Amino acid sequence: LPSFRERDFLMHWLTKPGTSHPEMYRITVQSSKELRAIPGVRNFGAHIGRALVADEPVGMNFTENWVSVDPKADYDSTFNAIQETVDGYPGIYRDVQTYLKERIREVLTGGGLHVQLQGMIPHVQVKVDLAAAERYGIKPGDVLRYSNQMMTGHEVSDIHQDGWVYDVQVWSIPEARQNLTNLREMLIDTPRGGYVALQDVANVTVEPTPNMIQREDGQRRIDVQANVRGRALGDVVADVETRLAGVQLPLGYRAELMGEWAERQSAQSGRNGNRPRGASCYWRSSR
């Protein structure tokens, strides 16, 4: 029988970039109720997005769910019921895997074929008016730092209590950043005393911005992940390489096959390769 750790399931749920926290919370709560109603499921846990200093750079559209299965329950029937429930949520990139399988995939290659979820989302852009900032005696960097603190928060100190460390954050109240008008009217301290509105020293707009930008070796990349089933990995890679050779990429772009195949080739040739990649194919650009 599987060990206790192997009987725990881990699920990654990704919705369209820009999905709000209330919507992700609604989906998570609903799935929690359905999964906990399955015979054999002992408990459920989840986190949405990431904490301030977490190790995974994910957005609000990412949820990680954990389901623990009772050791006395039938493993296969419980797993099938969990999978059926998860499949009842169309439009979400999702998976169901054991803890051990998830750890292995992070080291080697990704899940079923899909392109990395990337899209344009609204993002506040603050462009400093250098002449206006000079008139008020404010450094351009100070304008950006202050506006960033008010919009996203800034750690200024720590509190140590009973062996725990708590961050002290400076942040504006929600009403001060809930719309563009409030952001533009945000007051900034001036070196000469008094205040000036952010809109008087900067142009504040909302612009479409990629929800995620990944770089490696100074180059942007986007991942296309795939699993191989029913054929030898080398044969599939050969077919993929043939197809890629016929793809006309824009100037400055190139495709690289990475993941388990690249690591296997490196090991067989005796070279010391880099840490295994998580994606099977990278599309790189020089931007």
Side-chain angles (χ1 to χ4, degrees):
L1 291 175
S3 67
F4 174 75
R5 175 58 63 85
E6 291 173 331
R7 296 178 73 94
D8 293 343
F9 293 108
L10 176 66
M11 289 170 275
H12 298 118
W13 290 38
L14 285 84
T15 61
K16 184 178 179 180
T19 303
S20 67
H21 177 265
E23 177 62 11
M24 292 300 297
Y25 182 80
R26 183 192 67 82
I27 295 173
T28 303
V29 170
Q30 178 62 35
S31 63
S32 168
K33 294 177 180 178
E34 295 186 21
L35 289 169
R36 285 185 288 118
I38 296 174
V41 171
R42 183 164 55 180
N43 51 49
F44 174 93
H47 75 252
I48 299 173
R50 72 181 180 105
L52 184 63
V53 291
D55 60 339
E56 292 183 311
V58 297
M60 191 59 66
N61 64 313
F62 174 91
T63 297
E64 197 166 63
N65 302 327
W66 304 277
V67 173
S68 179
V69 177
D70 191 323
K72 299 178 182 179
D74 182 80
Y75 180 82
D76 292 333
S77 62
T78 304
F79 170 77
N80 292 334
I82 291 173
Q83 186 68 67
E84 183 179 359
T85 299
V86 171
D87 290 342
Y89 286 79
I92 301 176
Y93 175 75
R94 58 208 183 275
D95 57 22
V96 179
Q97 45 190 320
T98 63
Y99 179 85
L100 179 60
K101 189 174 182 180
E102 192 266 348
R103 294 294 95 182
I104 293 174
R105 281 186 172 178
E106 279 197 358
V107 174
L108 295 178
T109 186
L113 175 62
H114 76 284
V115 180
Q116 176 185 350
L117 296 177
Q118 188 176 82
M120 306 300 284
I121 60 175
H123 188 79
V124 176
Q125 299 281 353
V126 178
K127 186 175 182 180
V128 180
D129 184 331
L130 299 180
E134 184 179 10
R135 286 197 302 269
Y136 289 97
I138 305 176
K139 297 178 181 179
D142 291 339
V143 175
L144 296 177
R145 278 188 291 271
Y146 185 84
S147 58
N148 183 64
Q149 290 175 12
M150 294 299 100
M151 295 180 197
T152 63
H154 178 68
E155 182 181 351
V156 294
S157 183
D158 296 312
I159 296 177
H160 297 257
Q161 183 176 352
D162 299 329
W164 293 87
V165 180
Y166 302 91
D167 298 336
V168 178
Q169 295 276 334
V170 171
W171 201 11
S172 60
I173 59 176
E175 292 77 10
R177 57 180 188 274
Q178 65 182 185
N179 59 61
L180 201 57
T181 299
N182 290 350
L183 292 176
R184 287 169 174 166
E185 295 176 350
M186 187 180 299
L187 298 179
I188 298 177
D189 295 330
T190 65
R192 303 166 187 169
Y195 309 95
V196 61
L198 179 60
Q199 63 186 354
D200 293 334
V201 292
N203 183 31
V204 184
T205 58
V206 174
E207 304 290 342
T209 306
N211 70 297
M212 180 190 306
I213 297 177
Q214 294 189 111
R215 288 188 175 90
E216 188 167 339
D217 298 330
Q219 297 177 321
R220 285 192 183 186
R221 81 167 199 256
I222 185 170
D223 304 340
V224 179
Q225 301 180 358
N227 256 353
V228 174
R229 179 182 300 172
R231 293 183 64 198
L233 178 60
D235 294 340
V236 176
V237 170
D239 289 345
V240 172
E241 289 177 334
T242 301
R243 296 291 183 89
L244 289 176
V247 176
Q248 297 295 323
L249 297 176
L251 182 65
Y253 289 77
R254 71 179 189 277
E256 295 182 11
L257 282 173
M258 309 297 293
E260 183 179 353
W261 171 253
E263 297 306 318
R264 181 184 298 182
Q265 293 297 100
S266 177
Q268 290 176 348
S269 64
R271 297 194 304 270
N272 293 323
N274 294 327
R275 180 177 63 85
R277 312 302 180 98
S280 297
C281 180
Y282 287 167
W283 297 92
R284 294 181 182 269
S285 75
S286 58
R287 294 187 298 168

